[in-house]
């Protein structure tokens, strides 16, 4: 076993050779090893936890031993053996676009985080879950089409994607995590799903280019600081079923001049 954050932040580490007896890589084991370029997982590995290679911005290729019963690599990208979970896309790859293979049902936590070159990602039909931080700080990401069938977007999933301009959420989406799109400074258009009943804390914080909000009719709660720092926001349509607005939900929304609060709201702040 290699323990949690065992080599995290070792900025001089360029190569690693993992032993053939290794079974587990704990969370963040090599996170922030900014010069690490290539990794090969031995067949003995049975568990690669979340964020093992997060912020490894020079990593271009991950291999998995062909005899592995738990993982496989396709074109340098790591998946579980069945191809249902995309575990890690190396952050140092220079391709501008990537098509996630058919059959993938979930994107693991921080799987694409800190990818500096990627601009467009095509997600497959059948995808149902985007985990915490999956695309965080993909600073060049401009286009991502969320397919119908996605039910969950995790916390900080797209945080800091500063060039993302529009998001069309599928009607199947029921969970949108805290700070999911926080810091998406060029986000100008959001299409919300009708099944969404709560916006979590900070979900669109500092989306400074967002001009207008058409919130879903079934929305009942807006979390703390949900739209804080949305400085371009001029109009918000609050749905009649809304019952609660969290503290600082619209803080520093300097262009928002009027806001009509529905009669059913029983808590503000």
């Amino acid at each position: 076993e290699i323990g949690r954050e065992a080599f995290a932040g070792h900025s001089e580490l360029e190569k690693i050779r993992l032993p053939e007896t290794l079974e587990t890589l704990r969370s963040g084991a090599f996170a922030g090893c900014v010069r690490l370029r290539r990794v090969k997982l031995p067949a003995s590995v049975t568990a690669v936890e979340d964020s093992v290679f997060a912020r490894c911005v020079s990593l271009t290729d991950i291999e998995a031993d062909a005899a592995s019963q738990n993982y496989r690599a396709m074109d340098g990208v790591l998946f579980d053996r069945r191809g249902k979970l995309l575990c890690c896309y190396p952050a140092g790859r220079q391709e501008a676009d990537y098509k996630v293979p058919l059959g993938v049902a979930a994107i693991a936590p921080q799987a694409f985080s800190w990818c500096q070159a990627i601009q467009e990602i095509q997600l497959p039909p059948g995808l149902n879950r985007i985990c915490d931080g999956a695309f965080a700080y993909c600073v060049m990401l401009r286009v991502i089409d969320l397919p119908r069938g996605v039910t969950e977007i995790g916390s900080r999933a797209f945080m800091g994607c500063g060039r993302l301009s529009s998001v069309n959420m599928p009607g199947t989406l029921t969970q949108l995590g805290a700070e999911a799109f926080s810091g998406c400074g060029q986000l100008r258009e959001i299409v919300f799903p009708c099944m969404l009943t709560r916006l979590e804390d900070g979900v669109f914080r500092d989306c400074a280019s967002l001009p207008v909000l058409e919130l879903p009719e079934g929305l009942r709660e807006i979390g703390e600081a949900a739209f804080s720092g949305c400085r371009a926001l001029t109009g918000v349509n609050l749905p009649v079923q809304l019952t609660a607005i969290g503290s600082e939900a619209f803080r520093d929304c300097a262009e928002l001049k009027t806001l009509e609060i529905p009669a059913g709201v029983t808590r503000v702040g």
Side-chain angles (χ1 to χ4, degrees):
E1 174 180 313
I2 296 178
R4 184 177 182 271
E5 298 183 357
F7 296 96
H10 282 234
S11 59
E12 302 302 316
L13 187 63
E14 296 183 7
K15 299 179 180 179
I16 54 173
R17 184 175 180 180
L18 300 175
E20 297 295 330
T21 54
L22 179 66
E23 294 184 358
T24 303
L25 285 165
R26 296 293 182 193
S27 178
F30 295 97
C33 293
V34 295
R35 294 191 181 184
L36 185 62
R37 298 184 181 279
R38 191 172 182 179
V39 174
K40 183 175 181 179
L41 300 181
S44 57
V45 171
T46 59
V48 177
E49 293 188 350
D50 300 342
S51 312
V52 166
F53 302 109
R55 305 188 309 282
C56 292
V57 294
S58 297
L59 186 64
T60 59
D61 186 67
I62 301 174
E63 292 184 58
D65 192 292
S68 174
Q69 297 298 305
N70 298 283
Y71 295 96
R72 62 173 167 166
M74 292 187 285
D75 191 28
V77 181
L78 185 66
F79 300 81
D80 72 341
R81 189 65 192 174
R82 297 185 303 155
K84 295 291 186 182
L85 177 68
L86 192 156
C87 303
C88 184
Y89 179 95
R93 294 174 70 105
Q94 295 303 301
E95 292 88 348
D97 59 272
Y98 180 70
K99 185 176 182 179
V100 176
L102 286 171
V104 171
I107 308 294
Q110 307 230 11
F112 287 84
S113 66
W114 295 93
C115 289
Q116 304 297 290
I118 200 159
Q119 298 180 32
E120 181 174 356
I121 298 171
Q122 298 180 49
L123 299 175
L127 186 76
N128 56 58
R129 185 160 53 100
I130 297 172
C131 296
D132 295 352
F135 299 97
Y137 300 105
C138 290
V139 295
M140 300 296 291
L141 184 63
R142 299 172 184 272
V143 179
I144 189 159
D145 187 17
L146 301 174
R148 183 170 179 81
V150 172
T151 60
E152 178 185 348
I153 296 176
S155 299
R156 301 174 297 282
F158 294 92
M159 174 185 268
C161 293
R163 300 201 178 189
L164 192 64
S165 61
S166 66
V167 175
N168 189 350
M169 300 182 194
T172 51
L173 187 71
T174 58
Q175 288 183 261
L176 182 60
E179 301 181 295
F181 292 92
S182 176
C184 294
Q186 292 190 24
L187 189 61
R188 293 179 175 85
E189 182 182 3
I190 306 167
V191 178
F192 289 98
C194 60
M195 295 176 65
L196 202 60
T197 61
R198 174 175 168 81
L199 291 175
E200 299 292 341
D201 298 350
V203 63
F204 294 102
R205 180 193 281 128
D206 294 329
C207 291
S209 300
L210 192 61
V212 177
L213 286 172
E214 288 290 336
L215 299 176
E217 292 183 3
L219 190 69
R220 300 184 64 83
E221 295 183 57
I222 296 175
E224 295 181 7
F227 299 99
S228 173
C230 294
R231 296 190 298 273
L233 192 62
T234 59
V236 180
N237 181 23
L238 297 179
V240 295
Q241 293 191 45
L242 192 68
T243 62
I245 300 173
S247 61
E248 302 184 1
F250 296 96
R251 180 177 178 173
D252 295 329
C253 296
E255 297 300 316
L256 187 60
K257 306 301 183 185
T258 61
L259 188 66
E260 185 174 341
I261 299 176
V265 172
T266 58
R267 179 173 60 84
V268 178

